[in-house]
Structures are given as C-alpha cells and as structure tokens.
Amino acid sequence: MLLGTVKLRRSLRRERRLNANSFLSEDQELLDALEMWPGDKKGVGNIASTFRGPIFKRNYVNDPNYGLPYVSAADIDRSDYFGSRLISRSQGAVLDQLRLSADMIIVTCSGMNLGWSMLSRRDLAGVIGSHDLIRVIADDSEDRGYLGAFLGSRLGWYSVRQSISGGSVKHIEPPDVDRLQIPWPSKSVRKTISDAYLQAAELRAQSTSLIHQATEQVFRSAGIEDLDEGDWFGNGRELGFTGHVRKRTLRAWNLSEKARMVATKINAAGASQLCSLVKPGTLRKGPGFKRIPVDEGFGVHLIGQRQLFRFRPRPKHIARRGVPESAFCLPGTTLIAARGTFGEAETYGRAQYVSELTSSWLFSNDILRVVPRVENLSGWLYAFLRSRSAFRLIRSVATGSKQQHLHPEGLAEILVPTIDGSEKIKIEEGSQPNTIIKLKGKGLPHQNSRGRGDQYVRLVVNIPKQLNKHQKNLLE
C-alpha cells in the first residue's frame, strides 16, 4: 500500500483528480521532473491532430478472401502479428476510416494495455485498427519520429496514464492526449531523436518481413505449403469423427482429424520428431523459483507469457539470489507459451525466439524451452514452430480443463520438416513425378548415437501450359 500527502497545487494541475495512483506512483518523480523542464514545452494538440475511429460491430471471419487483418489494443505491441484476426470486409466504408497508415502514431486508450504507444510502421499500413486506438498524426512530418519517441517512452506512458478515468475498464480520450505537455528542444535535437526512432521502426519492419520469409522458406524447401487458416476453419467443427486412441490420452481434442492431416502432409515431405532435434532433457518448462520484488537495476528482468510476445516488454524485477541458472535460456532457444486458453488471440501455443539480448532475461516456468540439438538448427526450429501448421499441432496436444497445458509426449512427437543445405542430385531419365530419392547421411543427427540419418527428396514436376520459342528449341 502506498501512503503519502499531496499538495493542493499539484491536485489543481491535475484538474482535481482524486485517484491516489496518479500522485503516488513510483514514477511520480519523473513526472515532476517533466513539469520542471526549463526549456520550451508544447501541447500535443498544438503540434498534431488526434482522433479515434468510429465504433462498429466486429464481425470476424477465418477466410483471408473475405477478411482484412485486424489489430486490437491487445495486439498493438506484439512482436509477431502472425496471429492477427481477420475482420469481415462486409463492414464496407467504415473500414476505410479505421485503416492504419504509415504516418500515424498509435496510442491505446482502453483496457489493460492503456497508454501503450508505437509508430504505425510500413508493414502495418492498410491494417484495420480497433476504435480503441487513438491515432496521432504530426502536423510536421519531420516531428513524427520525435513525437512517437516521447509517447512511446516510459515518461510518455506515465504521462498518458495521468488522465485515466473509469472503473473496472480504464479509459482515455483524444482530448486527454491533446493536453499532454512534452519537452520541445532545438530542431537539431528533435531531428536526431526522430531519425533514430524512425530507423528503429524500419529495422523492426525488416525483421518482421525476414521472419515471415524464413517460415515460408522452411515449407518451400520441404515442397509443401504452410497451413491456410481459411482451410482450417472452413472444414467446420470436428464432430462425430473416429480416431486412433493412444495410451497417453482419451481426450477427443488430442485425436483431431484436422491436426492429423497437417501432420500427414508434413510427414510425407520428410520430417523428424521434435524430440530428435533438441538436446535430451530440454523439451520442458523452466524450474520454479522464489520471486522477491526489487527495484529496477537491482535484480533481473522476469518475463511472463504475456510479456514474452511484446516488442517492448515491461518486465517485473526480482532478486537474482535463489534463481537457478537453468531458469535462463541460451541464445537460439525457442520458447513456447505452455499454459493458457484456446482463444485465437491468446498466446498459448505460440513461439518466440531468444536472442543475444534477451538471453539475459529470466523467463517464467509457464514457458517451455526448445533447445536445438545443434546450433544451426535454431533458426529452422523457430521458423517452423511459429508457423500456422506448428501452432495447430502444438495446440492439438493440449491437456487440462480451462487452463490448458502441453502434453509432454505429444509435444515430443510433433513432426518438423527437415533439410540440410544444398546437394546435387542426379535425376535419371524417365523419372516420374513423386519419385523418392534417398540422400544417405544427409539427414539430422541421431539422438543417442553418432552419425546422421538419411534425407528423402520427392520429385515434383511442373509442366508448363505454354512454352516460349527458346524453351521449345531446348526441348527439340
């Protein structure tokens, strides 16, 4: 519990707000320092226009042919938009008022994520944004990066949250953002900050694009395509089907015919079980440990499942003492949210990558670790495990009631497409489509012995319907 006294003049500056959190928060000193800024300050409303989109009925669809990508306030800071929902195109002209554009800065104005801000990067242009997102467009495009950097900073976040109103569901409005006073240094300083922030946004857009390309390459190398969400949901609900019961489970969810079809397609292309691609004993959750809160700078970052998928996570800070080394993860590890519910927008079953930067963070014991058996498999495993196909296979091995967990045996048996580098193959005359060629010793390492397995290549022959003159000469 926080206790303290507040001077009347501070209350008057906050329009006589009586909610104690706005005065006694841990970052109050930051806000006081902002008020004492000796240089120029400007109100957001004087340098930018702010507005929200119209309220509308959200009709979700599963087929990409009938929907457009949609992001809500909960999605806005996710590091991977792969799980974005689709909003029906039938909404018509109202969707045009909700489209995000590259010149916008977005501020969440409702719910648990209230006050989060980010730049609408080029990879989000055209995406439909929730009406719970305040759009901020700088009057001078040269100030867009500076304004975005401030609103996205810790100081900006707390400044926005000073205007919170509401009971169980907190809320702010565009006029609340307009009233914010931000430091206004010289043009050269603003330009330096703006350029750095815009460069970071561009690098993030490039990163997102490359990760998507990596996933596409995994499936292209195996000669198959990733699962299409429209096909998955288009097959309807699974009712009245029969399945092969196994000793480990009698749950119908684990006998999903749709998941079996996905696994069969991957297996036909050449695959290995996940357990054979990871270090023995590492396909499991992290250890439990005491969580002793400390001030920032005196402990380690603790990342839970929700923060795991945030581009800028806001971690808890706990004491390093008593935390086992096994709770940390090496770079190249793939993390899977291993506890949660089946909501399509939920993180349960989704994958995240541990980089050099994030390897110093501590991850909760609700997060499963996938440590590759050999280093050069780390990117391949992550690129597959973040795919739509892997997401459905992972969720198909769920166990539990309301809160789902991952069945360890089922998870170990998930099939992963495998391939290793490039190899020249001699194709004999008369080879027919779907011919299988064995590449001895070109598979993945054996789990409990030395050496490598074999790789199998299936020939896919595409016959063109029309030939140009040069192609005809080659055939003749």
Side-chain angles (χ1 to χ4, degrees):
M1 178 181 295
L2 296 175
L3 298 174
T5 58
V6 177
K7 294 183 179 180
L8 178 60
R9 64 173 179 270
R10 284 178 57 191
S11 176
L12 293 176
R13 286 201 300 267
R14 304 282 170 77
E15 298 180 346
R16 297 180 174 85
R17 298 186 64 84
L18 297 179
N19 54 321
N21 282 340
S22 67
F23 299 99
L24 301 178
S25 67
E26 58 183 0
D27 284 78
Q28 184 56 52
E29 292 183 5
L30 257 171
L31 298 173
D32 290 341
L34 176 61
E35 293 181 353
M36 296 172 61
W37 167 262
D40 293 336
K41 288 190 288 188
K42 287 193 176 184
V44 172
N46 295 327
I47 58 175
S49 58
T50 61
F51 62 95
R52 292 174 60 191
I55 297 176
F56 68 105
K57 184 178 180 181
R58 289 169 285 188
N59 294 324
Y60 298 111
V61 296
N62 299 312
D63 192 335
N65 295 319
Y66 299 100
L68 294 169
Y70 169 82
V71 292
S72 66
D75 301 323
I76 201 63
D77 194 42
R78 287 195 177 175
S79 56
D80 193 339
Y81 286 94
F82 205 15
S84 296
R85 291 163 288 180
L86 299 175
I87 201 79
S88 174
R89 294 176 184 266
S90 64
Q91 301 289 342
V94 70
L95 296 183
D96 293 333
Q97 303 177 56
L98 293 162
R99 291 181 190 275
L100 303 181
S101 61
D103 61 343
M104 291 179 178
I105 301 162
I106 305 166
V107 181
T108 58
C109 64
S110 183
M112 295 178 59
N113 304 311
L114 192 155
W116 289 8
S117 174
M118 64 169 288
L119 201 67
S120 179
R121 309 175 309 275
R122 58 179 175 81
D123 57 316
L124 291 179
V127 171
I128 307 302
S130 165
H131 64 271
D132 286 328
L133 301 175
I134 295 176
R135 283 79 164 166
V136 181
I137 301 180
D139 296 337
D140 187 342
S141 60
E142 292 186 358
D143 292 326
R144 180 170 70 102
Y146 176 75
L147 182 57
F150 175 81
L151 292 175
S153 68
R154 181 176 175 182
L155 181 55
W157 184 66
Y158 276 100
S159 297
V160 170
R161 292 178 66 87
Q162 293 303 301
S163 299
I164 285 177
S165 59
S168 58
V169 179
K170 309 299 183 184
H171 198 77
I172 60 171
E173 288 290 341
D176 297 320
V177 178
D178 286 339
R179 286 193 293 268
L180 294 182
Q181 296 291 314
I182 67 174
W184 202 250
S186 65
K187 187 172 183 178
S188 61
V189 172
R190 298 199 310 272
K191 186 178 186 307
T192 300
I193 296 173
S194 181
D195 290 347
Y197 190 73
L198 293 176
Q199 181 184 16
E202 176 61 23
L203 289 174
R204 181 182 174 185
Q206 292 178 17
S207 171
T208 300
S209 175
L210 290 172
I211 290 173
H212 280 270
Q213 291 177 34
T215 297
E216 292 174 358
Q217 185 62 41
V218 166
F219 286 87
R220 190 181 301 116
S221 299
I224 57 178
E225 293 183 355
D226 193 8
L227 179 67
D228 183 88
E229 293 290 86
D231 292 339
W232 176 267
F233 289 105
N235 292 328
R237 300 179 64 185
E238 294 185 280
L239 299 173
F241 66 92
T242 58
H244 299 285
V245 178
R246 298 184 180 184
K247 292 182 179 180
R248 69 166 184 262
T249 180
L250 293 175
R251 189 183 189 188
W253 183 272
N254 302 137
L255 307 176
S256 167
E257 183 66 15
K258 291 195 291 187
R260 188 192 66 80
M261 292 173 62
V262 173
T264 299
K265 180 178 71 173
I266 294 174
N267 190 44
S272 298
Q273 291 186 346
L274 180 59
C275 62
S276 68
L277 307 179
V278 302
K279 291 183 178 180
T282 59
L283 194 60
R284 62 179 61 180
K285 295 181 181 180
F289 48 84
K290 290 184 178 181
R291 304 183 181 187
I292 305 173
V294 297
D295 292 334
E296 184 177 357
F298 294 93
V300 293
H301 293 340
L302 174 62
I303 304 295
Q305 286 189 133
R306 187 181 297 275
Q307 296 297 323
L308 177 63
F309 298 92
R310 297 296 177 192
F311 179 69
R312 293 175 303 170
R314 292 181 171 88
K316 295 180 180 178
H317 305 280
I318 66 170
R320 176 65 178 84
R321 185 180 60 183
V323 177
E325 286 295 331
S326 56
F328 295 89
C329 297
L330 295 173
T333 301
T334 295
L335 305 176
I336 299 176
R339 181 182 178 187
T341 58
F342 283 131
E344 288 299 309
E346 297 297 324
T347 60
Y348 173 66
R350 301 200 181 275
Q352 184 61 282
Y353 188 77
V354 178
S355 65
E356 290 284 349
L357 172 65
T358 58
S359 62
S360 62
W361 296 353
L362 180 62
F363 298 96
S364 76
N365 57 345
D366 284 329
I367 298 173
L368 184 134
R369 280 77 163 157
V370 182
V371 184
R373 191 178 183 89
V374 292
E375 184 177 353
N376 59 7
L377 274 177
S378 60
W380 182 276
L381 279 177
Y382 169 64
F384 172 71
L385 290 173
R386 67 170 293 278
S387 69
R388 296 183 181 93
S389 298
F391 174 66
R392 298 301 171 187
L393 292 177
I394 291 171
R395 284 200 168 186
S396 73
V397 298
T399 179
S401 53
K402 178 173 177 57
Q403 285 292 316
Q404 304 297 317
H405 300 267
L406 296 176
H407 196 292
E409 292 183 20
L411 186 68
E413 295 174 0
I414 285 179
L415 295 174
V416 180
T418 53
I419 194 169
D420 187 16
S422 59
E423 182 73 14
K424 290 185 177 180
I425 302 174
K426 182 179 180 180
I427 300 177
E428 301 292 342
E429 294 182 3
S431 295
Q432 299 298 309
N434 294 321
T435 298
I436 303 296
I437 300 176
K438 178 180 177 180
L439 302 180
K440 189 174 180 60
K442 296 297 181 180
L444 292 166
H446 292 302
Q447 183 175 1
N448 298 316
S449 61
R450 295 182 178 179
R452 303 171 69 90
D454 302 329
Q455 185 178 145
Y456 293 87
V457 178
R458 182 179 63 178
L459 299 183
V460 178
V461 181
N462 292 320
I463 302 175
K465 295 181 179 180
Q466 295 181 344
L467 298 176
N468 58 37
K469 185 176 180 180
H470 176 66
Q471 291 171 331
K472 289 181 180 178
N473 291 336
L474 290 176
L475 291 174
E476 293 172 356

Coordinates of all heavy atoms in Angstrom, one line a residue, residues 95-160:
L95 N -14.5 0.6 -42.7 CA -13.2 0.1 -42.5 C -12.2 1.1 -43.1 O -11.0 1.1 -42.6 CB -13.1 -1.2 -43.3 CG -13.9 -2.4 -42.8 CD1 -13.6 -3.6 -43.5 CD2 -13.7 -2.6 -41.3
D96 N -12.5 1.9 -44.0 CA -11.6 2.9 -44.6 C -11.2 4.0 -43.5 O -10.1 4.5 -43.5 CB -12.2 3.6 -45.8 CG -12.4 2.7 -47.0 OD1 -11.6 1.7 -47.1 OD2 -13.3 2.9 -47.8
Q97 N -12.1 4.2 -42.6 CA -11.9 5.2 -41.5 C -11.0 4.6 -40.4 O -10.5 5.3 -39.5 CB -13.2 5.7 -40.9 CG -14.1 6.3 -41.9 CD -15.4 6.7 -41.3 OE1 -15.5 7.5 -40.3 NE2 -16.5 6.3 -41.9
L98 N -10.9 3.2 -40.4 CA -10.2 2.5 -39.4 C -8.8 2.1 -39.8 O -8.0 1.5 -39.0 CB -11.0 1.3 -38.9 CG -12.3 1.7 -38.1 CD1 -13.2 0.4 -38.1 CD2 -12.0 2.1 -36.7
R99 N -8.5 2.2 -41.1 CA -7.2 1.8 -41.6 C -6.1 2.5 -41.0 O -6.1 3.8 -40.9 CB -7.1 1.9 -43.2 CG -8.1 1.0 -43.9 CD -7.9 1.2 -45.4 NE -8.9 0.4 -46.1 CZ -8.8 -0.8 -46.5 NH1 -7.8 -1.5 -46.2 NH2 -9.8 -1.4 -47.2
L100 N -5.0 1.8 -40.7 CA -3.8 2.5 -40.2 C -2.9 2.9 -41.4 O -2.9 2.2 -42.4 CB -3.0 1.5 -39.3 CG -3.8 1.0 -38.1 CD1 -2.9 0.0 -37.3 CD2 -4.3 2.1 -37.2
S101 N -2.2 4.0 -41.2 CA -1.3 4.5 -42.3 C 0.1 4.7 -41.7 O 0.2 4.8 -40.4 CB -1.8 5.7 -42.9 OG -2.0 6.8 -42.0
A102 N 1.1 4.8 -42.5 CA 2.5 4.8 -42.0 C 2.8 6.2 -41.4 O 3.8 6.3 -40.7 CB 3.4 4.6 -43.2
D103 N 1.9 7.2 -41.5 CA 2.2 8.5 -40.9 C 1.6 8.6 -39.5 O 1.7 9.7 -38.8 CB 1.7 9.6 -41.7 CG 0.2 9.6 -42.0 OD1 -0.4 8.5 -41.7 OD2 -0.3 10.6 -42.4
M104 N 1.0 7.5 -39.0 CA 0.3 7.6 -37.7 C 1.2 7.1 -36.5 O 2.1 6.3 -36.7 CB -0.9 6.7 -37.7 CG -2.0 7.2 -38.6 SD -3.4 6.0 -38.5 CE -4.6 6.9 -39.6
I105 N 0.9 7.7 -35.4 CA 1.4 7.2 -34.1 C 0.2 6.7 -33.4 O -0.9 7.4 -33.3 CB 2.1 8.3 -33.3 CG1 3.3 8.9 -34.1 CG2 2.6 7.7 -31.9 CD1 3.7 10.2 -33.5
I106 N 0.2 5.5 -32.8 CA -0.9 4.9 -32.2 C -0.8 4.8 -30.7 O 0.3 4.4 -30.2 CB -1.1 3.4 -32.8 CG1 -1.2 3.4 -34.3 CG2 -2.4 2.8 -32.2 CD1 -1.0 2.1 -34.9
V107 N -1.9 5.2 -30.0 CA -1.9 5.2 -28.5 C -3.1 4.4 -28.1 O -4.2 4.7 -28.6 CB -2.0 6.6 -27.9 CG1 -2.0 6.5 -26.4 CG2 -0.8 7.4 -28.4
T108 N -2.9 3.3 -27.3 CA -4.1 2.5 -26.8 C -4.8 3.3 -25.8 O -4.2 4.0 -24.9 CB -3.6 1.2 -26.2 OG1 -2.7 1.5 -25.2 CG2 -2.9 0.4 -27.3
C109 N -6.2 3.3 -25.9 CA -6.9 4.2 -25.0 C -7.9 3.5 -24.1 O -8.7 4.1 -23.4 CB -7.7 5.2 -25.8 SG -8.9 4.5 -26.9
S110 N -7.8 2.1 -24.0 CA -8.7 1.4 -23.1 C -8.1 0.1 -22.8 O -7.3 -0.5 -23.5 CB -10.1 1.2 -23.9 OG -11.0 0.5 -23.1
G111 N -8.6 -0.5 -21.6 CA -8.2 -1.8 -21.2 C -6.9 -1.9 -20.5 O -6.3 -0.9 -20.0
M112 N -6.4 -3.1 -20.4 CA -5.1 -3.4 -19.6 C -3.9 -2.7 -20.2 O -2.9 -2.4 -19.5 CB -4.9 -4.9 -19.5 CG -6.0 -5.6 -18.7 SD -5.7 -7.4 -18.6 CE -4.1 -7.4 -17.8
N113 N -3.9 -2.5 -21.5 CA -2.7 -2.0 -22.2 C -2.8 -0.5 -22.4 O -2.1 0.0 -23.2 CB -2.6 -2.7 -23.6 CG -2.6 -4.2 -23.5 OD1 -1.8 -4.7 -22.7 ND2 -3.4 -4.9 -24.2
L114 N -3.7 0.2 -21.7 CA -3.9 1.6 -21.9 C -2.6 2.4 -21.8 O -1.8 2.2 -20.8 CB -4.9 2.1 -20.9 CG -5.5 3.5 -21.0 CD1 -6.8 3.6 -20.4 CD2 -4.6 4.6 -20.5
G115 N -2.4 3.3 -22.7 CA -1.2 4.1 -22.7 C 0.0 3.7 -23.5 O 0.9 4.4 -23.7
W116 N -0.1 2.4 -24.0 CA 1.0 1.9 -24.9 C 1.0 2.7 -26.2 O -0.1 2.9 -26.8 CB 0.9 0.4 -25.1 CG 1.2 -0.3 -23.8 CD1 1.4 0.1 -22.6 CD2 1.4 -1.8 -23.8 NE1 1.7 -0.9 -21.7 CE2 1.7 -2.1 -22.4 CE3 1.3 -2.8 -24.7 CZ2 1.9 -3.4 -22.0 CZ3 1.5 -4.1 -24.2 CH2 1.8 -4.4 -22.9
S117 N 2.1 3.0 -26.7 CA 2.2 3.7 -27.9 C 3.3 3.1 -28.9 O 4.3 2.6 -28.4 CB 2.5 5.2 -27.6 OG 2.8 5.9 -28.8
M118 N 3.0 3.2 -30.1 CA 4.0 2.8 -31.1 C 3.8 3.5 -32.4 O 2.7 4.1 -32.7 CB 3.9 1.3 -31.3 CG 2.6 0.8 -31.9 SD 2.7 -0.9 -32.4 CE 3.7 -0.8 -33.8
L119 N 4.8 3.4 -33.3 CA 4.7 4.0 -34.6 C 4.0 3.0 -35.5 O 4.3 1.8 -35.5 CB 6.1 4.3 -35.1 CG 6.2 5.3 -36.3 CD1 5.8 6.7 -35.8 CD2 7.6 5.4 -36.8
S120 N 3.1 3.5 -36.4 CA 2.5 2.6 -37.4 C 3.4 2.5 -38.5 O 3.5 3.3 -39.4 CB 1.1 3.2 -37.9 OG 0.5 2.4 -38.8
R121 N 4.2 1.4 -38.5 CA 5.2 1.2 -39.5 C 4.6 0.8 -40.9 O 3.4 0.6 -41.0 CB 6.2 0.0 -39.0 CG 6.7 0.2 -37.6 CD 7.5 -1.0 -37.2 NE 6.7 -2.2 -37.5 CZ 5.9 -2.8 -36.6 NH1 5.6 -2.2 -35.5 NH2 5.3 -3.9 -36.9
R122 N 5.5 0.8 -41.9 CA 5.0 0.5 -43.2 C 4.4 -0.9 -43.3 O 3.5 -1.1 -44.2 CB 6.2 0.6 -44.2 CG 7.4 -0.3 -43.9 CD 8.4 -0.1 -45.0 NE 9.6 -0.9 -44.7 CZ 9.8 -2.2 -45.0 NH1 8.8 -2.9 -45.6 NH2 10.9 -2.8 -44.7
D123 N 4.8 -1.9 -42.5 CA 4.3 -3.2 -42.6 C 2.9 -3.3 -42.0 O 2.2 -4.3 -42.1 CB 5.2 -4.2 -41.9 CG 5.5 -3.9 -40.5 OD1 5.8 -2.7 -40.2 OD2 5.5 -4.8 -39.7
L124 N 2.4 -2.2 -41.3 CA 1.1 -2.1 -40.7 C 0.2 -1.3 -41.6 O -1.0 -1.2 -41.3 CB 1.1 -1.6 -39.3 CG 1.7 -2.5 -38.2 CD1 1.7 -1.7 -36.9 CD2 1.0 -3.8 -38.2
A125 N 0.7 -0.7 -42.6 CA -0.1 0.2 -43.5 C -1.3 -0.6 -44.1 O -1.0 -1.7 -44.7 CB 0.7 0.8 -44.6
G126 N -2.5 -0.1 -44.0 CA -3.6 -0.8 -44.5 C -4.3 -1.8 -43.6 O -5.4 -2.2 -43.9
V127 N -3.7 -2.1 -42.5 CA -4.3 -3.0 -41.5 C -5.4 -2.2 -40.8 O -5.3 -1.0 -40.5 CB -3.2 -3.4 -40.5 CG1 -3.9 -4.2 -39.3 CG2 -2.2 -4.3 -41.1
I128 N -6.5 -2.9 -40.5 CA -7.6 -2.3 -39.8 C -7.3 -2.2 -38.3 O -7.0 -3.2 -37.7 CB -8.9 -3.1 -40.0 CG1 -9.2 -3.3 -41.5 CG2 -10.1 -2.4 -39.4 CD1 -9.2 -2.0 -42.3
G129 N -7.4 -1.0 -37.7 CA -7.1 -0.8 -36.3 C -8.4 -0.7 -35.5 O -9.4 -0.1 -36.0
S130 N -8.4 -1.1 -34.3 CA -9.6 -1.0 -33.4 C -9.9 0.4 -33.2 O -9.1 1.3 -33.3 CB -9.3 -1.7 -32.1 OG -10.2 -1.4 -31.1
H131 N -11.2 0.7 -32.8 CA -11.6 2.1 -32.4 C -11.0 2.4 -31.0 O -11.2 3.5 -30.6 CB -13.1 2.2 -32.4 CG -13.8 1.4 -31.4 ND1 -14.2 0.1 -31.7 CD2 -14.2 1.6 -30.1 CE1 -14.8 -0.4 -30.7 NE2 -14.8 0.4 -29.7
D132 N -10.4 1.4 -30.3 CA -9.8 1.7 -29.1 C -8.3 2.2 -29.2 O -7.6 2.2 -28.3 CB -9.8 0.4 -28.2 CG -11.2 0.1 -27.6 OD1 -11.9 1.1 -27.4 OD2 -11.5 -1.0 -27.5
L133 N -8.0 2.6 -30.4 CA -6.7 3.1 -30.7 C -6.8 4.6 -31.1 O -7.5 4.9 -32.0 CB -6.0 2.3 -31.9 CG -5.8 0.8 -31.7 CD1 -5.2 0.2 -32.9 CD2 -4.9 0.5 -30.5
I134 N -6.1 5.4 -30.4 CA -6.1 6.8 -30.7 C -5.0 7.0 -31.8 O -3.9 6.6 -31.6 CB -5.8 7.7 -29.5 CG1 -7.0 7.6 -28.5 CG2 -5.6 9.2 -29.9 CD1 -6.7 8.4 -27.2
R135 N -5.4 7.7 -32.9 CA -4.4 8.0 -33.9 C -3.9 9.4 -33.7 O -4.6 10.3 -33.5 CB -5.1 7.9 -35.3 CG -5.3 6.5 -35.9 CD -6.5 5.8 -35.3 NE -6.9 4.7 -36.1 CZ -7.8 3.8 -35.7 NH1 -8.3 3.8 -34.4 NH2 -8.1 2.7 -36.4
V136 N -2.5 9.5 -33.8 CA -1.9 10.8 -33.7 C -1.1 11.1 -34.9 O -0.2 10.3 -35.3 CB -1.0 10.8 -32.4 CG1 -0.3 12.2 -32.3 CG2 -1.7 10.5 -31.2
I137 N -1.4 12.2 -35.6 CA -0.6 12.5 -36.8 C 0.0 13.9 -36.7 O -0.7 14.9 -36.4 CB -1.6 12.5 -38.1 CG1 -2.3 11.2 -38.2 CG2 -0.8 12.9 -39.3 CD1 -3.2 11.1 -39.4
A138 N 1.3 13.9 -36.7 CA 2.1 15.1 -36.5 C 1.8 16.1 -37.7 O 1.7 15.7 -38.8 CB 3.6 14.8 -36.4
D139 N 1.6 17.4 -37.3 CA 1.4 18.4 -38.3 C 2.6 18.6 -39.3 O 2.5 18.8 -40.5 CB 1.1 19.8 -37.7 CG -0.2 19.7 -36.9 OD1 -1.1 18.9 -37.2 OD2 -0.4 20.6 -35.9
D140 N 3.8 18.5 -38.7 CA 5.0 18.5 -39.5 C 5.6 17.1 -39.5 O 5.9 16.5 -38.4 CB 6.0 19.5 -38.8 CG 7.3 19.7 -39.7 OD1 7.6 18.8 -40.5 OD2 8.0 20.7 -39.4
S141 N 5.7 16.5 -40.7 CA 6.2 15.1 -40.8 C 7.6 14.9 -40.2 O 7.9 13.8 -39.7 CB 6.2 14.7 -42.2 OG 7.1 15.5 -43.0
E142 N 8.4 16.0 -40.1 CA 9.7 15.9 -39.5 C 9.7 15.6 -38.0 O 10.7 15.2 -37.4 CB 10.6 17.1 -39.8 CG 10.9 17.3 -41.3 CD 11.8 18.4 -41.6 OE1 12.2 19.1 -40.6 OE2 12.2 18.7 -42.7
D143 N 8.6 16.0 -37.4 CA 8.4 15.8 -35.9 C 7.8 14.4 -35.6 O 7.6 14.1 -34.4 CB 7.6 16.9 -35.3 CG 8.4 18.2 -35.4 OD1 9.6 18.2 -35.3 OD2 7.7 19.3 -35.6
R144 N 7.4 13.7 -36.6 CA 6.7 12.4 -36.3 C 7.5 11.5 -35.5 O 7.0 10.9 -34.5 CB 6.4 11.7 -37.6 CG 5.6 10.4 -37.5 CD 5.1 9.9 -38.8 NE 6.2 9.5 -39.7 CZ 6.5 8.3 -40.0 NH1 5.8 7.3 -39.4 NH2 7.5 8.0 -40.8
G145 N 8.8 11.3 -35.8 CA 9.7 10.4 -35.0 C 9.9 10.9 -33.6 O 9.9 10.1 -32.7
Y146 N 10.1 12.2 -33.4 CA 10.3 12.7 -32.1 C 9.0 12.6 -31.2 O 9.1 12.1 -30.0 CB 10.7 14.2 -32.1 CG 10.8 14.8 -30.8 CD1 11.9 14.6 -30.0 CD2 9.8 15.7 -30.3 CE1 12.0 15.1 -28.7 CE2 9.9 16.2 -29.0 CZ 11.0 16.0 -28.2 OH 11.1 16.5 -27.0
L147 N 7.9 12.9 -31.8 CA 6.6 12.7 -31.0 C 6.4 11.3 -30.7 O 6.0 10.9 -29.6 CB 5.5 13.3 -31.9 CG 4.1 13.3 -31.3 CD1 4.0 14.0 -29.9 CD2 3.1 13.9 -32.2
G148 N 6.7 10.4 -31.6 CA 6.5 8.9 -31.4 C 7.4 8.5 -30.3 O 7.1 7.6 -29.5
A149 N 8.7 9.0 -30.3 CA 9.7 8.5 -29.3 C 9.2 8.9 -27.9 O 9.4 8.2 -26.9 CB 11.0 9.1 -29.6
F150 N 8.7 10.2 -27.8 CA 8.2 10.6 -26.4 C 7.0 9.8 -26.0 O 7.0 9.3 -24.8 CB 7.9 12.1 -26.5 CG 7.3 12.6 -25.2 CD1 8.1 12.9 -24.1 CD2 5.9 12.6 -25.0 CE1 7.6 13.3 -22.9 CE2 5.4 13.0 -23.8 CZ 6.2 13.3 -22.7
L151 N 6.0 9.6 -26.8 CA 4.8 8.9 -26.4 C 5.1 7.4 -26.1 O 4.5 6.8 -25.3 CB 3.7 9.0 -27.5 CG 3.1 10.4 -27.7 CD1 2.2 10.4 -28.8 CD2 2.4 10.9 -26.4
G152 N 6.1 6.9 -26.8 CA 6.5 5.5 -26.6 C 7.4 5.3 -25.5 O 7.7 4.1 -25.1
S153 N 7.9 6.4 -24.9 CA 8.9 6.2 -23.7 C 8.2 6.0 -22.4 O 6.9 6.1 -22.4 CB 9.7 7.5 -23.6 OG 8.9 8.6 -23.2
R154 N 8.9 5.6 -21.4 CA 8.3 5.4 -20.1 C 7.7 6.6 -19.6 O 6.6 6.6 -19.0 CB 9.4 4.9 -19.2 CG 9.0 4.6 -17.8 CD 10.1 4.1 -17.0 NE 9.8 3.9 -15.6 CZ 10.6 3.4 -14.7 NH1 11.9 3.2 -15.0 NH2 10.3 3.3 -13.4
L155 N 8.3 7.8 -19.8 CA 7.8 9.0 -19.4 C 6.5 9.4 -20.1 O 5.5 9.8 -19.5 CB 8.8 10.2 -19.6 CG 8.4 11.6 -19.2 CD1 7.9 11.6 -17.7 CD2 9.5 12.6 -19.4
G156 N 6.4 9.1 -21.4 CA 5.2 9.3 -22.2 C 4.1 8.4 -21.7 O 2.9 8.8 -21.6
W157 N 4.4 7.1 -21.4 CA 3.4 6.2 -20.9 C 2.8 6.7 -19.7 O 1.5 6.7 -19.5 CB 4.1 4.8 -20.8 CG 3.1 3.7 -20.4 CD1 2.1 3.2 -21.1 CD2 3.1 3.0 -19.1 NE1 1.5 2.2 -20.4 CE2 2.1 2.1 -19.2 CE3 3.9 3.1 -18.0 CZ2 1.8 1.2 -18.2 CZ3 3.6 2.2 -16.9 CH2 2.5 1.3 -17.0
Y158 N 3.6 7.1 -18.7 CA 3.0 7.6 -17.4 C 2.3 8.9 -17.6 O 1.3 9.2 -16.9 CB 4.1 7.7 -16.4 CG 4.4 6.4 -15.7 CD1 5.5 5.6 -16.1 CD2 3.6 5.9 -14.7 CE1 5.8 4.4 -15.4 CE2 3.8 4.7 -14.1 CZ 4.9 3.9 -14.5 OH 5.1 2.7 -13.9
S159 N 2.7 9.7 -18.5 CA 2.0 11.0 -18.8 C 0.6 10.7 -19.3 O -0.3 11.4 -18.9 CB 2.8 11.8 -19.8 OG 4.1 12.2 -19.2
V160 N 0.5 9.8 -20.2 CA -0.8 9.5 -20.8 C -1.7 8.9 -19.7 O -2.9 9.3 -19.6 CB -0.6 8.4 -21.9 CG1 -2.0 7.9 -22.3 CG2 0.0 9.1 -23.1

